[in-house]
Amino acid sequence: MMDVKKEEKQETWKNIQVLGQGAFGYITLWMNQASNEKIAIKTCRHKEEMPDKTWERWKMEVFIMSRLNHDNVIRSVAVPPQLQPGKDSPPILAMEFCQGGDLRKVLNKPENCCGLKEFEIRQLVAGVGSGIEYLHSNRIIHRDLKPENIVLKPIDGNKTLYKIIDLGYAKELDINSICNSYVGTMQYLAPELLVGKAYSKTVDYWSLGSLVFECITGFRPFLPTLPPVEWHNVVCKKSPDDICAQYDERREIRFSKKLPSSNQLCRPLQGFFEQWLRLMLRWDPKARGGGIIQMEGVERPKCFCLLEKIIAVKIFHILHVEENTVLSFTVTDTHTIEDVNQAILHETVIPLDQQYVILADGLRLEAQALAVQSCSDSNTEDLMVFLFRSGPLQLQQKYNKKKLPLAVQAIVKEPNTLLPAKEHRKAWAQAVHWCTEISREYKRLVSAFRAALLHLLRNNSLILKQKTQMISDIGKLMACKELFQTSLDFDLQQGREVIKTSERIYQQWTEMARTINSFNDLKERVENLDNKVQTFSGEITDLQRSPVGKINQNMELEEFETKAKALYGELLGATQGTSGEGSRDMMDHHRMVDLIGKCYMKRDELTRNLYKQLSKVLDVQQRLEPLIPELNMSEGEIEAASKQLKSMQCHRQKDVWRLLKNSETHRAPGQNVEQETFSLATLNNSQNSSLFDRFKFNSLSSNLESIKLIDECQTNAQRLQEMVDTMVKEQAESLEYISTQDSITR
């Protein structure tokens, strides 16, 4: 008994918030006080309090929800025992709670007044399209698809699940049958519903197309402010491929087959979505959606097959840093960076040999690398790839400056003029959006600057390592050269008479002496190259210390964005409930215009300084790159000199042994080489010792001195190696610091 009571206590649910009110009753949020689990409870008024049709709709929704199971359709859950309705009470519906709110709230944010970001659009159409196709496959038409009936459930990172809710108007039927009941919300209704004609599942296509168009552009496609009858009479005149209608400057209606330019889709995706919207927004319900096609042996509506291809397409985004514009190209699994370079050439006319493509971490992309490996994640807006032009950066007012929207230009020109509430809110929303875009574009440039600096640091680190090896190798070479030269000079001096007995050996050894003297020139070139590398390291250190591109500068533009949003919030409070002419108490435009002006000036100042510093980075990079072949050449010369020195030593040893062999004719009978070597010192002090014996002894002494010289050179080389290793370590720490700062900013 005690265990049962304890279990009941753990399952206590508490009503913590009213989420909204629908046609049937209230939707409330409940939380399990033991586990903190949250669910949404949708209740219905008693049958006596509502019409029979509404009661039937409620029962249908509960029935439909009980048997659906799809990630993009709201999931029903078991009603907790504590909340079970009484015997005579209407059923209740328990559903998973989606804390992201509904899509309408997202679209109403001022930063989304010109449409959602590209990665959000792709997530949205993937989820909602899949959900609608699932409902249709289960013989269910939603009939009331709109932003208010799409809720968001954030999951891993930036990914969001979009879920279809409110199946109160959904109807279960044979998927090929038609209906003629009038349901749904006016703004998203298919044309046939407005005039009471029979309809089928294609009404959801029109609603889905209208919803996606609004998410892309920020407004509905066909003159949403017109009354229904007038709207129907105007829009019915559109061609099958028209996807929107707007008023032009002369207040004349213009139909278009293209998306308006005020959206955040890249050009390739704009083309794909225009093709898809032409299928979804057909006036003829039979032609809408493109009909049924067979794909991989399965019959599916053409519109969903096309949507699946759009979602799967891979887009290669690259920031053209010189102009601060994003270039976008569709790529397949077989396309390489070389193919992308060709597309860049066509788009920008930058020659292939001048294109410099690097990743955010500073790595340069090789021509044969697969392009898909560097595509941005479809669930994020972060850019991974940056395009620079090799050579001096010419930026005199060349970089892209985002223009003010027309509505914002109007309030800047006449800040004292009050607008109707709706136009007033629109102008301010576009001002917030402009500030948001300015901040985002500057962040992109900062990322490009850091990528260029990281690339420079990587190259410098490689050059330092190569230079370290070069210094070590030249030190070893010069030590061997000194040993060889000391021995050779001593032999030439002490054994001149013996060596001159062989003219060929004397000439060869003399030529060797001249050859190894040329090694001094190589050493001088290496020292000059070492000085160049040290100079560049100092310049790079200064670039790292520059305050340009730091995190606090990002915050300066973000502050303007935050302040603009706060002003917009005040405006919403002042104009709430006002849809017509604005009242005289409504806020004028002065504070918003002042904010825009300051943001504009700060943007120009920061961008100008950033490009100036970026030019220095690219200039150092351009001057640093030629050092790589110089280092390679020096390494090759050192290696060749070492081989040459080794070869000369071998020839010299052969000559010595040849002289020894020739001297055997002058050796006493029975005296062997070991005895001769053992008695070198004695022979050297003897008045009767031969000149050749003295030459052999002195050569041995010179070799001992040379060995001692080698030890000293090796010690100095080791000390030099330790100094360079310390420098390389400091360079690596700087590289790691820059990478850390880049990840913090993201």
Side-chain angles (χ1 to χ4, degrees), residues 264-311:
Q264 303 192 60
L265 291 181
C266 65
R267 190 162 59 186
L269 279 184
Q270 283 187 43
F272 290 137
F273 273 108
E274 285 167 356
Q275 182 183 359
W276 180 75
L277 287 168
R278 289 168 196 157
L279 294 179
M280 304 302 281
L281 298 176
R282 293 278 174 89
W283 188 265
D284 182 1
K286 294 181 180 179
R288 196 178 301 146
I292 302 297
I293 64 172
Q294 194 169 44
M295 186 174 181
E296 298 180 356
V298 179
E299 289 188 345
R300 294 178 62 193
K302 182 179 179 179
C303 59
F304 292 122
C305 295
L306 179 58
L307 190 60
E308 195 173 81
K309 290 182 180 179
I310 294 173
I311 295 165

Side-chain angles (χ1 to χ4, degrees), residues 715-732:
T715 301
N716 292 333
Q718 184 176 1
R719 291 174 181 173
L720 180 61
Q721 178 74 33
E722 291 174 354
M723 293 172 62
V724 176
D725 287 345
T726 301
M727 184 181 301
V728 171
K729 182 179 179 182
E730 292 176 353
Q731 186 71 25

Side-chain angles (χ1 to χ4, degrees), residues 11 43 59 63 75 86 110 174 187 264 316 325 369 376 396 406 463 470 490 506 535 554 562 641 702 722:
E11 291 297 327
T43 58
K59 289 195 300 182
F63 171 71
R75 180 172 54 87
D174 184 282
Q187 290 89 340
Q264 303 192 60
F316 188 95
T325 56
S376 299
Q396 289 81 3
L406 292 177
I463 286 175
M470 180 187 68
F490 193 86
Y506 181 78
T535 300
N554 288 348
T562 302
S702 69
E722 291 174 354

